[in-house]
């Protein structure tokens, strides 16, 4: 009997010990899980992230700058090469074609071999092409066209690469603000480029434009060589992995990393994602219409307001660029606020759910968060304003109203256009953050292809219909495409779920 009682006591003690061990193990596992969950997305501090974004933004300046600084000098260059303005406009078209194609190459490489070396390579190509353009003989029109293509190949990808950097270091809650500040660089180009181009062409000759771009791109190359760290997550993780010397800045203020073997992906396959293609086409159509406005400012204003000289016309670009610049900052804050508002609403709903189907801390997981609705909330309003302003802008030029009227409408166009572009770009990176450069390259391909097509026909449309009916037609195209916004909100979660299922199965 005593033996039975002793055995029973030993069994209870053993069971208690096992239970306590299991509880302890469970608590330790829960603690480990909490520590993993609390691990930051990136080791960079908030200040370091802003520094990286600003450096990337300085490179992204060159994509629009090299295009817009050229516009006021088009009549002068046409005269120097003894050719028509339409022939020089063709150099704008080929520039846009390469602007759309080249990021597909550079962006894919950046997603594989790293952001830093590809950014440096792009700036080097840009600098050398600008030297060639500054020295091109006026008897070699073909060489002007070729060098403009090479210039576009160097400058155009900097926006896609900068977007990739933001995808590497920023969480979804931060990306809206980062893109808002990052876009300041690309918007300085449309704002100041035509002014600088007009002044240089008027005072120092058209060749000085390219010497200016050469010096600016060389200075940016030096800035990135000295300070920019590698950020590609498959190479440096969250920034805590030590890289090879090739990936390190000369002055390592931030960032660490060690590169694994590169893996190249075909970015064109992203065009077969229905939700992505829908966004790219809508974005591209609005971009083409906006570019039609931008490229015809110098020719239409010179015709409708003959009292303007080259410098005055260059200053007219400042208004539309100013609207874009202000929009970059405000729309970035709006995107972060919309994301936080959506998150808070979902957290409150999760806390009040009696069945607790989703924990409050899990609402921002991809499968639970309606990122399309959060990012596109204001797009219908901005699109409606853009459409109305576009039509009004055309008729203000048709009726030759006071020059203040089309300039004010330009400001509104610039503001709404940039707000739409920032929302779209941020959403695209949210959908595929690990391929942020590739998705931005696809964005450039679609919008620049449509933009090049628009540039090739816009003068024909204006001459045939006049600016009034031309821009009413373009506004109508934008309005007809507006249902694509609601289509994106409807199909987006379904398409993301299918991609997750395929990735899980693989």
């Amino acid at each position: 009997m005593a033996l039975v009682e002793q055995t029973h006591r030993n069994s209870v003690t053993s069971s208690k010990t096992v239970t306590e061990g299991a509880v302890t193990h469970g608590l330790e596992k829960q603690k480990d899980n909490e520590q993993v969950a609390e691990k930051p997305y990136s080791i960079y501090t908030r200040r370091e992230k802003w520094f990286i974004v600003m450096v990337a933004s300085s490179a992204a300046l060159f994509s629009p700058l090299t295009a817009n600084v050229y516009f006021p000098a088009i009549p002068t260059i046409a005269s120097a090469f003894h050719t028509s303005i339409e022939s020089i406009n063709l150099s704008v078209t080929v520039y846009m074609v390469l602007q759309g194609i080249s990021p597909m190459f550079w962006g894919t490489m950046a997603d594989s071999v790293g952001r830093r070396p590809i950014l440096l390579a792009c700036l080097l190509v840009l600098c050398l092409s600008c030297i060639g353009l500054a020295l091109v003989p006026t008897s070699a029109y073909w060489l002007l066209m070729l060098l403009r293509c090479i210039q576009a190949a160097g400058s155009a990808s900097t926006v896609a690469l900068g977007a990739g950097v933001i995808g590497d270091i920023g969480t979804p809650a931060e990306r809206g603000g980062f893109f808002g500040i990052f876009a300041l660089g690309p918007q300085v180009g449309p704002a100041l480029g035509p002014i600088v181009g007009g002044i240089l062409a008027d005072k120092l000759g058209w060749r000085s434009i390219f010497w200016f771009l050469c010096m600016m791109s060389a200075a940016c190359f030096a800035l990135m060589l000295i300070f920019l760290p590698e950020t590609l997550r498959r190479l440096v993780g969250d920034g805590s992995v030590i890289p090879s010397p090739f990936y390190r800045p000369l002055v390592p203020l931030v960032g660490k990393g060690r590169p694994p073997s590169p893996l190249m992906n075909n970015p064109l396959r992203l065009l077969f994602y229905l939700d992505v293609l829908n966004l790219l086409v809508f974005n591209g159509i609005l971009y083409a219409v906006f570019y039609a406005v931008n490229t015809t400012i110098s020719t239409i204003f010179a015709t409708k307001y003959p009292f303007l000289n080259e410098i005055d016309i260059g200053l007219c670009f400042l208004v539309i660029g100013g609207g874009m610049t202000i929009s970059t900052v405000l729309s970035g804050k709006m995107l972060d606020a919309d994301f936080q508002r959506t998150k808070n609403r979902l957290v409150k709903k999760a806390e009040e759910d009696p069945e607790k189907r989703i924990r409050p801390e899990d609402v921002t997981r991809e499968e639970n968060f309606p990122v399309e609705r959060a990012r596109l909330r204001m797009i219908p309003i901005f699109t409606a304003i853009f459409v109305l302003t576009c039509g009004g802008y055309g008729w203000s030029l048709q009726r030759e109203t006071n020059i203040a009227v089309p300039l004010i409408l330009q400001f509104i166009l610039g503001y709404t256009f940039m707000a739409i572009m920032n929302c779209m770009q941020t959403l695209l990176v949210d959908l595929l953050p690990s391929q942020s450069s590739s998705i931005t390259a696809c964005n450039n391909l679609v919008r620049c292809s449509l933009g090049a097509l628009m540039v090739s026909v816009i003068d024909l449309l204006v001459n045939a219909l006049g600016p009034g009916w031309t821009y009413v037609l373009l506004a109508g195209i934008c309005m007809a495409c507006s249902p694509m916004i609601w289509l994106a909100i409807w199909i987006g979660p379904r398409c993301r779920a299918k991609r997750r299922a395929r990735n899980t199965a693989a």
Side-chain angles (χ1 to χ4, degrees), residues 61-62 64-74 76 187-216 310-318:
L61 157 71
F62 290 98
L65 179 64
T66 51
N68 286 270
V69 76
Y70 186 77
F71 291 157
I74 286 177
T76 304
Q187 299 329 309
V188 168
L192 298 183
I195 300 174
V196 174
I199 293 173
L200 290 174
D202 187 55
K203 302 299 181 183
L204 299 176
W206 62 270
R207 294 183 187 273
S208 64
I209 292 175
F210 300 111
W211 286 121
F212 167 76
L213 291 174
C214 173
M215 292 184 288
M216 289 283 290
E310 285 181 334
I311 296 177
D312 295 333
I313 291 175
L315 290 171
C316 291
F317 285 86
L318 184 61

Short mmCIF file of all heavy atoms in Angstrom, two decimals, residues 61-62 64-74 76 187-216 310-318:
data_model
loop_
_atom_site.label_atom_id
_atom_site.label_comp_id
_atom_site.label_asym_id
_atom_site.label_seq_id
_atom_site.Cartn_x
_atom_site.Cartn_y
_atom_site.Cartn_z
N LEU A 61 16.43 63.52 -59.25
CA LEU A 61 16.25 64.83 -59.87
C LEU A 61 16.55 64.78 -61.37
O LEU A 61 15.91 65.48 -62.16
CB LEU A 61 17.18 65.83 -59.18
CG LEU A 61 17.59 67.10 -59.93
CD1 LEU A 61 16.41 68.04 -60.04
CD2 LEU A 61 18.75 67.80 -59.24
N PHE A 62 17.50 63.94 -61.79
CA PHE A 62 18.00 64.02 -63.15
C PHE A 62 17.05 63.44 -64.19
O PHE A 62 17.15 63.80 -65.37
CB PHE A 62 19.37 63.33 -63.24
CG PHE A 62 20.45 64.09 -62.53
CD1 PHE A 62 20.83 63.73 -61.25
CD2 PHE A 62 21.04 65.18 -63.13
CE1 PHE A 62 21.81 64.45 -60.58
CE2 PHE A 62 22.03 65.90 -62.47
CZ PHE A 62 22.41 65.53 -61.19
N PRO A 64 13.68 63.90 -64.68
CA PRO A 64 12.90 64.97 -65.32
C PRO A 64 13.75 66.18 -65.69
O PRO A 64 13.40 66.91 -66.62
CB PRO A 64 11.87 65.34 -64.25
CG PRO A 64 12.54 65.02 -62.96
CD PRO A 64 13.41 63.83 -63.22
N LEU A 65 14.85 66.42 -64.98
CA LEU A 65 15.65 67.61 -65.26
C LEU A 65 16.23 67.56 -66.67
O LEU A 65 16.19 68.55 -67.40
CB LEU A 65 16.77 67.74 -64.23
CG LEU A 65 17.71 68.96 -64.42
CD1 LEU A 65 16.94 70.25 -64.26
CD2 LEU A 65 18.88 68.89 -63.44
N THR A 66 16.80 66.43 -67.05
CA THR A 66 17.41 66.33 -68.38
C THR A 66 16.38 66.47 -69.50
O THR A 66 16.72 66.85 -70.61
CB THR A 66 18.14 64.99 -68.53
OG1 THR A 66 17.28 63.92 -68.15
CG2 THR A 66 19.38 64.95 -67.65
N ALA A 67 15.12 66.16 -69.19
CA ALA A 67 14.06 66.34 -70.20
C ALA A 67 13.57 67.78 -70.24
O ALA A 67 13.48 68.39 -71.31
CB ALA A 67 12.90 65.40 -69.89
N ASN A 68 13.30 68.36 -69.07
CA ASN A 68 12.66 69.68 -69.02
C ASN A 68 13.62 70.83 -69.28
O ASN A 68 13.20 71.87 -69.79
CB ASN A 68 11.98 69.86 -67.66
CG ASN A 68 10.72 69.05 -67.53
OD1 ASN A 68 9.63 69.50 -67.85
ND2 ASN A 68 10.86 67.81 -67.05
N VAL A 69 14.89 70.68 -68.94
CA VAL A 69 15.85 71.76 -69.17
C VAL A 69 16.05 71.99 -70.66
O VAL A 69 16.51 73.04 -71.10
CB VAL A 69 17.20 71.42 -68.48
CG1 VAL A 69 17.97 70.38 -69.27
CG2 VAL A 69 18.05 72.67 -68.26
N TYR A 70 15.65 71.02 -71.45
CA TYR A 70 15.84 71.02 -72.91
C TYR A 70 14.75 71.79 -73.64
O TYR A 70 14.97 72.32 -74.74
CB TYR A 70 15.85 69.54 -73.33
CG TYR A 70 16.17 69.22 -74.76
CD1 TYR A 70 17.48 69.25 -75.23
CD2 TYR A 70 15.17 68.81 -75.64
CE1 TYR A 70 17.78 68.90 -76.53
CE2 TYR A 70 15.46 68.44 -76.94
CZ TYR A 70 16.77 68.49 -77.38
OH TYR A 70 17.07 68.14 -78.67
N PHE A 71 13.56 71.86 -73.05
CA PHE A 71 12.39 72.40 -73.75
C PHE A 71 12.57 73.85 -74.24
O PHE A 71 12.28 74.13 -75.41
CB PHE A 71 11.14 72.31 -72.87
CG PHE A 71 10.67 70.90 -72.65
CD1 PHE A 71 9.89 70.58 -71.54
CD2 PHE A 71 11.00 69.88 -73.52
CE1 PHE A 71 9.46 69.28 -71.33
CE2 PHE A 71 10.57 68.58 -73.32
CZ PHE A 71 9.80 68.28 -72.22
N PRO A 72 12.99 74.81 -73.39
CA PRO A 72 13.08 76.19 -73.88
C PRO A 72 14.10 76.37 -75.00
O PRO A 72 14.01 77.35 -75.75
CB PRO A 72 13.52 76.96 -72.63
CG PRO A 72 13.15 76.11 -71.47
CD PRO A 72 13.32 74.71 -71.96
N ALA A 73 15.06 75.45 -75.12
CA ALA A 73 16.11 75.60 -76.13
C ALA A 73 15.75 74.91 -77.44
O ALA A 73 16.55 74.94 -78.39
CB ALA A 73 17.42 75.02 -75.60
N ILE A 74 14.57 74.30 -77.54
CA ILE A 74 14.21 73.56 -78.75
C ILE A 74 14.26 74.46 -80.00
O ILE A 74 14.86 74.07 -81.02
CB ILE A 74 12.83 72.90 -78.60
CG1 ILE A 74 12.95 71.68 -77.67
CG2 ILE A 74 12.25 72.48 -79.94
CD1 ILE A 74 11.64 70.98 -77.38
N THR A 76 16.06 77.15 -80.51
CA THR A 76 17.46 77.51 -80.74
C THR A 76 18.24 76.33 -81.32
O THR A 76 19.04 76.49 -82.25
CB THR A 76 18.11 77.96 -79.42
OG1 THR A 76 17.36 79.03 -78.87
CG2 THR A 76 19.54 78.41 -79.64
N GLN A 187 10.60 66.58 -58.81
CA GLN A 187 9.77 67.72 -59.16
C GLN A 187 10.54 69.03 -59.26
O GLN A 187 10.02 70.01 -59.79
CB GLN A 187 8.62 67.87 -58.15
CG GLN A 187 7.68 66.68 -58.09
CD GLN A 187 7.54 65.96 -59.41
OE1 GLN A 187 7.27 66.58 -60.44
NE2 GLN A 187 7.72 64.65 -59.40
N VAL A 188 11.74 69.07 -58.74
CA VAL A 188 12.59 70.24 -58.96
C VAL A 188 12.92 70.37 -60.44
O VAL A 188 13.06 71.47 -60.97
CB VAL A 188 13.87 70.16 -58.11
CG1 VAL A 188 14.88 71.22 -58.52
CG2 VAL A 188 13.52 70.35 -56.63
N GLY A 189 13.01 69.21 -61.12
CA GLY A 189 13.31 69.23 -62.56
C GLY A 189 12.27 69.99 -63.37
O GLY A 189 12.61 70.95 -64.07
N PRO A 190 10.98 69.60 -63.30
CA PRO A 190 9.97 70.36 -64.04
C PRO A 190 9.83 71.81 -63.57
O PRO A 190 9.45 72.68 -64.36
CB PRO A 190 8.68 69.58 -63.76
CG PRO A 190 9.14 68.20 -63.42
CD PRO A 190 10.44 68.37 -62.71
N ALA A 191 10.13 72.07 -62.30
CA ALA A 191 9.95 73.42 -61.78
C ALA A 191 11.08 74.36 -62.21
O ALA A 191 10.84 75.47 -62.69
CB ALA A 191 9.87 73.38 -60.25
N LEU A 192 12.33 73.91 -62.05
CA LEU A 192 13.47 74.79 -62.30
C LEU A 192 14.17 74.50 -63.62
O LEU A 192 14.88 75.36 -64.14
CB LEU A 192 14.48 74.66 -61.15
CG LEU A 192 13.98 75.08 -59.76
CD1 LEU A 192 15.11 74.95 -58.74
CD2 LEU A 192 13.46 76.50 -59.78
N GLY A 193 14.00 73.27 -64.15
CA GLY A 193 14.70 72.90 -65.38
C GLY A 193 14.46 73.86 -66.53
O GLY A 193 15.43 74.35 -67.15
N PRO A 194 13.20 74.17 -66.87
CA PRO A 194 12.97 75.09 -67.99
C PRO A 194 13.52 76.49 -67.74
O PRO A 194 13.96 77.17 -68.68
CB PRO A 194 11.44 75.11 -68.10
CG PRO A 194 10.99 73.83 -67.51
CD PRO A 194 11.95 73.58 -66.38
N ILE A 195 13.50 76.94 -66.48
CA ILE A 195 14.06 78.25 -66.17
C ILE A 195 15.55 78.26 -66.42
O ILE A 195 16.11 79.15 -67.08
CB ILE A 195 13.75 78.64 -64.71
CG1 ILE A 195 12.25 78.68 -64.48
CG2 ILE A 195 14.38 79.98 -64.37
CD1 ILE A 195 11.87 78.91 -63.04
N VAL A 196 16.23 77.25 -65.87
CA VAL A 196 17.67 77.14 -66.06
C VAL A 196 18.00 76.99 -67.54
O VAL A 196 18.92 77.65 -68.06
CB VAL A 196 18.23 75.94 -65.26
CG1 VAL A 196 19.70 75.71 -65.57
CG2 VAL A 196 18.03 76.17 -63.77
N GLY A 197 17.24 76.14 -68.23
CA GLY A 197 17.48 75.95 -69.66
C GLY A 197 17.29 77.23 -70.46
O GLY A 197 18.08 77.53 -71.36
N GLY A 198 16.24 77.98 -70.13
CA GLY A 198 15.99 79.23 -70.84
C GLY A 198 17.09 80.25 -70.62
O GLY A 198 17.55 80.91 -71.56
N ILE A 199 17.54 80.36 -69.37
CA ILE A 199 18.60 81.33 -69.06
C ILE A 199 19.91 80.94 -69.72
O ILE A 199 20.59 81.76 -70.34
CB ILE A 199 18.78 81.45 -67.53
CG1 ILE A 199 17.53 82.08 -66.90
CG2 ILE A 199 20.01 82.28 -67.19
CD1 ILE A 199 17.55 82.10 -65.39
N LEU A 200 20.28 79.66 -69.61
CA LEU A 200 21.54 79.21 -70.20
C LEU A 200 21.53 79.35 -71.72
O LEU A 200 22.52 79.80 -72.32
CB LEU A 200 21.80 77.76 -69.80
CG LEU A 200 22.15 77.50 -68.33
CD1 LEU A 200 22.25 76.00 -68.06
CD2 LEU A 200 23.47 78.18 -67.97
N ALA A 201 20.42 78.93 -72.34
CA ALA A 201 20.34 79.03 -73.80
C ALA A 201 20.37 80.48 -74.27
O ALA A 201 20.98 80.80 -75.31
CB ALA A 201 19.06 78.36 -74.30
N ASP A 202 19.77 81.37 -73.50
CA ASP A 202 19.71 82.78 -73.89
C ASP A 202 21.03 83.50 -73.65
O ASP A 202 21.46 84.32 -74.46
CB ASP A 202 18.59 83.47 -73.11
CG ASP A 202 18.36 84.90 -73.57
OD1 ASP A 202 18.12 85.09 -74.77
OD2 ASP A 202 18.42 85.82 -72.73
N LYS A 203 21.71 83.18 -72.55
CA LYS A 203 22.92 83.92 -72.17
C LYS A 203 24.21 83.26 -72.63
O LYS A 203 25.17 83.95 -73.00
CB LYS A 203 22.95 84.10 -70.64
CG LYS A 203 21.74 84.81 -70.05
CD LYS A 203 21.60 86.22 -70.59
CE LYS A 203 20.40 86.93 -69.97
NZ LYS A 203 20.19 88.30 -70.53
N LEU A 204 24.28 81.92 -72.59
CA LEU A 204 25.54 81.22 -72.86
C LEU A 204 25.46 80.28 -74.05
O LEU A 204 26.48 79.67 -74.40
CB LEU A 204 25.97 80.43 -71.61
CG LEU A 204 26.22 81.25 -70.34
CD1 LEU A 204 26.54 80.31 -69.17
CD2 LEU A 204 27.35 82.24 -70.55
N GLY A 205 24.29 80.12 -74.65
CA GLY A 205 24.16 79.20 -75.78
C GLY A 205 23.66 77.84 -75.33
O GLY A 205 23.80 77.45 -74.17
N TRP A 206 23.10 77.09 -76.27
CA TRP A 206 22.44 75.83 -75.91
C TRP A 206 23.41 74.78 -75.41
O TRP A 206 23.03 73.91 -74.64
CB TRP A 206 21.65 75.30 -77.11
CG TRP A 206 22.48 74.97 -78.32
CD1 TRP A 206 22.79 75.81 -79.34
CD2 TRP A 206 23.08 73.71 -78.62
NE1 TRP A 206 23.57 75.16 -80.27
CE2 TRP A 206 23.76 73.87 -79.86
CE3 TRP A 206 23.12 72.48 -78.00
CZ2 TRP A 206 24.47 72.84 -80.47
CZ3 TRP A 206 23.83 71.45 -78.60
CH2 TRP A 206 24.49 71.62 -79.81
N ARG A 207 24.68 74.84 -75.83
CA ARG A 207 25.64 73.83 -75.37
C ARG A 207 25.88 73.92 -73.86
O ARG A 207 26.22 72.92 -73.21
CB ARG A 207 26.96 73.98 -76.11
CG ARG A 207 26.87 73.66 -77.59
CD ARG A 207 28.22 73.76 -78.26
NE ARG A 207 28.11 73.62 -79.71
CZ ARG A 207 28.12 72.45 -80.36
NH1 ARG A 207 28.23 71.33 -79.67
NH2 ARG A 207 28.02 72.42 -81.67
N SER A 208 25.72 75.10 -73.30
CA SER A 208 25.95 75.27 -71.86
C SER A 208 24.97 74.46 -71.03
O SER A 208 25.24 74.12 -69.87
CB SER A 208 25.86 76.76 -71.48
OG SER A 208 24.55 77.26 -71.71
N ILE A 209 23.79 74.14 -71.60
CA ILE A 209 22.81 73.31 -70.89
C ILE A 209 23.43 71.96 -70.55
O ILE A 209 23.30 71.45 -69.43
CB ILE A 209 21.55 73.14 -71.75
CG1 ILE A 209 20.80 74.46 -71.88
CG2 ILE A 209 20.63 72.06 -71.16
CD1 ILE A 209 19.60 74.40 -72.81
N PHE A 210 24.12 71.38 -71.51
CA PHE A 210 24.68 70.04 -71.30
C PHE A 210 25.93 70.08 -70.42
O PHE A 210 26.19 69.11 -69.69
CB PHE A 210 24.95 69.39 -72.65
CG PHE A 210 23.72 69.24 -73.49
CD1 PHE A 210 23.53 69.99 -74.64
CD2 PHE A 210 22.69 68.38 -73.10
CE1 PHE A 210 22.39 69.87 -75.40
CE2 PHE A 210 21.53 68.26 -73.84
CZ PHE A 210 21.38 69.00 -75.00
N TRP A 211 26.71 71.16 -70.48
CA TRP A 211 27.83 71.29 -69.54
C TRP A 211 27.30 71.42 -68.11
O TRP A 211 27.88 70.86 -67.16
CB TRP A 211 28.69 72.49 -69.89
CG TRP A 211 29.57 72.30 -71.09
CD1 TRP A 211 29.57 73.03 -72.24
CD2 TRP A 211 30.58 71.30 -71.25
NE1 TRP A 211 30.50 72.55 -73.12
CE2 TRP A 211 31.15 71.49 -72.54
CE3 TRP A 211 31.05 70.25 -70.46
CZ2 TRP A 211 32.17 70.68 -73.03
CZ3 TRP A 211 32.07 69.45 -70.95
CH2 TRP A 211 32.61 69.66 -72.21
N PHE A 212 26.19 72.12 -67.96
CA PHE A 212 25.55 72.25 -66.64
C PHE A 212 25.12 70.88 -66.12
O PHE A 212 25.38 70.52 -64.96
CB PHE A 212 24.35 73.19 -66.75
CG PHE A 212 23.42 73.17 -65.57
CD1 PHE A 212 23.76 73.81 -64.39
CD2 PHE A 212 22.21 72.50 -65.64
CE1 PHE A 212 22.90 73.78 -63.30
CE2 PHE A 212 21.35 72.47 -64.55
CZ PHE A 212 21.70 73.11 -63.39
N LEU A 213 24.46 70.10 -66.97
CA LEU A 213 24.02 68.76 -66.57
C LEU A 213 25.21 67.85 -66.26
O LEU A 213 25.15 67.02 -65.34
CB LEU A 213 23.17 68.13 -67.68
CG LEU A 213 21.79 68.74 -67.92
CD1 LEU A 213 21.13 68.12 -69.14
CD2 LEU A 213 20.90 68.57 -66.70
N CYS A 214 26.29 68.00 -67.01
CA CYS A 214 27.50 67.21 -66.77
C CYS A 214 28.05 67.48 -65.37
O CYS A 214 28.37 66.54 -64.63
CB CYS A 214 28.54 67.53 -67.83
SG CYS A 214 30.15 66.78 -67.55
N MET A 215 28.16 68.75 -65.02
CA MET A 215 28.70 69.10 -63.70
C MET A 215 27.78 68.65 -62.57
O MET A 215 28.23 68.14 -61.54
CB MET A 215 28.95 70.61 -63.62
CG MET A 215 30.08 71.08 -64.52
SD MET A 215 30.45 72.85 -64.33
CE MET A 215 29.02 73.57 -65.13
N MET A 216 26.47 68.81 -62.77
CA MET A 216 25.51 68.40 -61.75
C MET A 216 25.54 66.89 -61.53
O MET A 216 25.55 66.41 -60.39
CB MET A 216 24.11 68.84 -62.16
CG MET A 216 23.87 70.33 -62.09
SD MET A 216 23.63 70.91 -60.40
CE MET A 216 22.02 70.20 -60.05
N GLU A 310 12.39 83.76 -74.35
CA GLU A 310 12.75 82.41 -73.91
C GLU A 310 12.77 82.30 -72.39
O GLU A 310 12.33 81.31 -71.81
CB GLU A 310 14.13 82.03 -74.47
CG GLU A 310 14.10 81.69 -75.96
CD GLU A 310 15.47 81.30 -76.46
OE1 GLU A 310 16.47 81.74 -75.87
OE2 GLU A 310 15.55 80.55 -77.44
N ILE A 311 13.30 83.34 -71.74
CA ILE A 311 13.38 83.30 -70.28
C ILE A 311 11.98 83.37 -69.67
O ILE A 311 11.66 82.65 -68.71
CB ILE A 311 14.26 84.45 -69.74
CG1 ILE A 311 15.70 84.27 -70.24
CG2 ILE A 311 14.23 84.50 -68.21
CD1 ILE A 311 16.63 85.39 -69.82
N ASP A 312 11.11 84.20 -70.25
CA ASP A 312 9.73 84.31 -69.75
C ASP A 312 9.00 82.97 -69.87
O ASP A 312 8.29 82.55 -68.95
CB ASP A 312 8.96 85.39 -70.52
CG ASP A 312 9.53 86.78 -70.29
OD1 ASP A 312 10.11 87.00 -69.21
OD2 ASP A 312 9.41 87.63 -71.19
N ILE A 313 9.19 82.31 -71.00
CA ILE A 313 8.53 81.01 -71.20
C ILE A 313 9.08 80.00 -70.21
O ILE A 313 8.34 79.17 -69.65
CB ILE A 313 8.72 80.52 -72.65
CG1 ILE A 313 7.92 81.42 -73.60
CG2 ILE A 313 8.28 79.07 -72.80
CD1 ILE A 313 8.12 81.11 -75.07
N GLY A 314 10.39 80.07 -69.96
CA GLY A 314 10.98 79.18 -68.95
C GLY A 314 10.36 79.41 -67.58
O GLY A 314 10.10 78.46 -66.83
N LEU A 315 10.08 80.67 -67.25
CA LEU A 315 9.47 80.98 -65.96
C LEU A 315 8.04 80.44 -65.87
O LEU A 315 7.56 80.14 -64.77
CB LEU A 315 9.48 82.50 -65.73
CG LEU A 315 10.85 83.13 -65.48
CD1 LEU A 315 10.76 84.65 -65.48
CD2 LEU A 315 11.42 82.65 -64.15
N CYS A 316 7.37 80.32 -67.02
CA CYS A 316 6.01 79.78 -67.00
C CYS A 316 5.99 78.34 -66.48
O CYS A 316 5.00 77.91 -65.88
CB CYS A 316 5.40 79.83 -68.40
SG CYS A 316 5.04 81.52 -68.98
N PHE A 317 7.08 77.60 -66.71
CA PHE A 317 7.15 76.23 -66.21
C PHE A 317 7.24 76.18 -64.69
O PHE A 317 6.96 75.15 -64.09
CB PHE A 317 8.36 75.51 -66.81
CG PHE A 317 8.21 75.11 -68.24
CD1 PHE A 317 8.50 76.00 -69.27
CD2 PHE A 317 7.78 73.84 -68.57
CE1 PHE A 317 8.37 75.62 -70.59
CE2 PHE A 317 7.64 73.45 -69.90
CZ PHE A 317 7.94 74.35 -70.91
N LEU A 318 7.66 77.30 -64.09
CA LEU A 318 7.82 77.33 -62.63
C LEU A 318 6.50 77.11 -61.91
O LEU A 318 6.45 76.51 -60.84
CB LEU A 318 8.44 78.66 -62.21
CG LEU A 318 8.77 78.84 -60.74
CD1 LEU A 318 9.80 77.80 -60.30
CD2 LEU A 318 9.30 80.24 -60.47
#
